[in-house]
């Protein structure tokens, strides 16, 4: 919901496509986009859990706090598909919960367990946090140049961000 709207608001030249398996969240996001006057620049689509983004389509692909509800194997498939979805010069941004420091991670895991399993705020059956090293490795294996960093240690929940850039094709066809 909110991330595609925020991205569209950051630049009038940007169009954003957001996807979610939760139809209610998609409907709420569409209403918010219309209300914010972003209807023509934000497309929100309800997808099936096995959806993959089309290859070679996007300038940027962003996934934020989603991989942990997919399960390890599916999360790795999604990372490979995201990497394939960006054009030469494109970027993949992954923001997820870090497993360190331990006490921060345990607090984040407890919150997500309550949100997913007890309150049903997220439509998921699994909680399986993906280590930053796995994200980095999968994006590198897909041919992206990868950088990563832990977000502020003062945040309540430990987060990391990994940025993978697909090398731009040179004019002569080489990379």
């Amino acid at each position: 919901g909110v991330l595609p709207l925020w991205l569209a608001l950051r630049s009038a030249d940007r169009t954003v496509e957001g996807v979610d398996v939760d139809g209610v969240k998609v409907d709420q996001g569409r209403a918010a986009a219309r209300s914010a006057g972003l209807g023509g620049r934000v497309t929100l689509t309800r997808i099936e859990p096995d959806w993959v983004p089309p290859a070679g389509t996007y300038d940027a692909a962003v996934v934020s706090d989603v991989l942990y509800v997919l399960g390890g194997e599916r999360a790795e498939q999604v990372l490979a598909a995201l990497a394939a979805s960006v054009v030469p010069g494109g970027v993949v941004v992954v923001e997820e919960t870090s497993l360190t420091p331990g006490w921060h991670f345990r607090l984040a895991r407890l919150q997500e367990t309550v949100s997913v399993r007890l309150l049903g705020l997220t439509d998921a059956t699994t909680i399986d946090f993906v280590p930053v090293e796995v994200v980095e490795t999968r994006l590198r294996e897909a041919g992206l140049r990868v950088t990563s960093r832990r977000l502020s240690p003062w945040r309540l929940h430990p987060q990391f961000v990994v940025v993978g850039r697909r090398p731009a094709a040179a004019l002569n066809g080489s990379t």
Side-chain angles (χ1 to χ4, degrees):
V2 76
L3 182 59
L5 277 64
W6 182 82
L7 291 169
L9 286 168
R10 300 282 296 160
S11 172
D13 297 327
R14 184 178 292 148
T15 57
V16 180
E17 179 179 335
V19 297
D20 201 307
V21 296
D22 187 330
V24 172
K25 289 180 181 176
V26 169
D27 290 343
Q28 291 170 341
R30 287 175 180 158
R34 281 190 302 274
S35 180
L38 298 172
R41 295 193 302 113
V42 174
T43 303
L44 300 173
T45 305
R46 185 196 172 283
I47 58 167
E48 295 301 319
D50 61 350
W51 178 85
V52 293
T57 302
Y58 302 111
D59 294 323
V62 179
V63 62
S64 179
D65 289 324
V66 170
L67 297 178
Y68 75 97
V69 296
L70 300 179
E73 184 178 329
R74 179 67 180 135
E76 292 187 44
Q77 293 168 349
V78 167
L79 288 167
L82 286 171
S85 77
V86 295
V87 298
V91 63
V92 172
V93 179
V94 178
E95 185 261 341
E96 290 289 328
T97 298
S98 177
L99 278 56
T100 59
W103 75 270
H104 272 213
F105 170 67
R106 286 188 295 278
L107 179 62
R109 183 177 54 200
L110 175 63
Q111 177 189 327
E112 292 307 322
T113 300
V114 169
S115 295
V116 171
R117 297 217 169 106
L118 296 179
L119 300 177
L121 298 177
T122 300
D123 186 16
T125 57
T126 250
I127 299 174
D128 186 9
F129 292 92
V130 180
V132 64
E133 298 83 8
V134 170
V135 175
E136 293 168 335
T137 298
R138 294 302 162 257
L139 295 182
R140 278 192 188 102
E141 288 174 349
L144 304 185
R145 295 184 182 135
V146 175
T147 59
S148 63
R149 72 183 198 93
R150 183 166 175 247
L151 299 179
S152 173
W154 304 110
R155 294 173 63 149
L156 182 58
H157 300 294
Q159 300 292 124
F160 66 82
V161 64
V162 177
V163 177
R165 291 189 182 281
R166 177 155 315 284
L171 291 178
N172 66 5
S174 64
T175 57

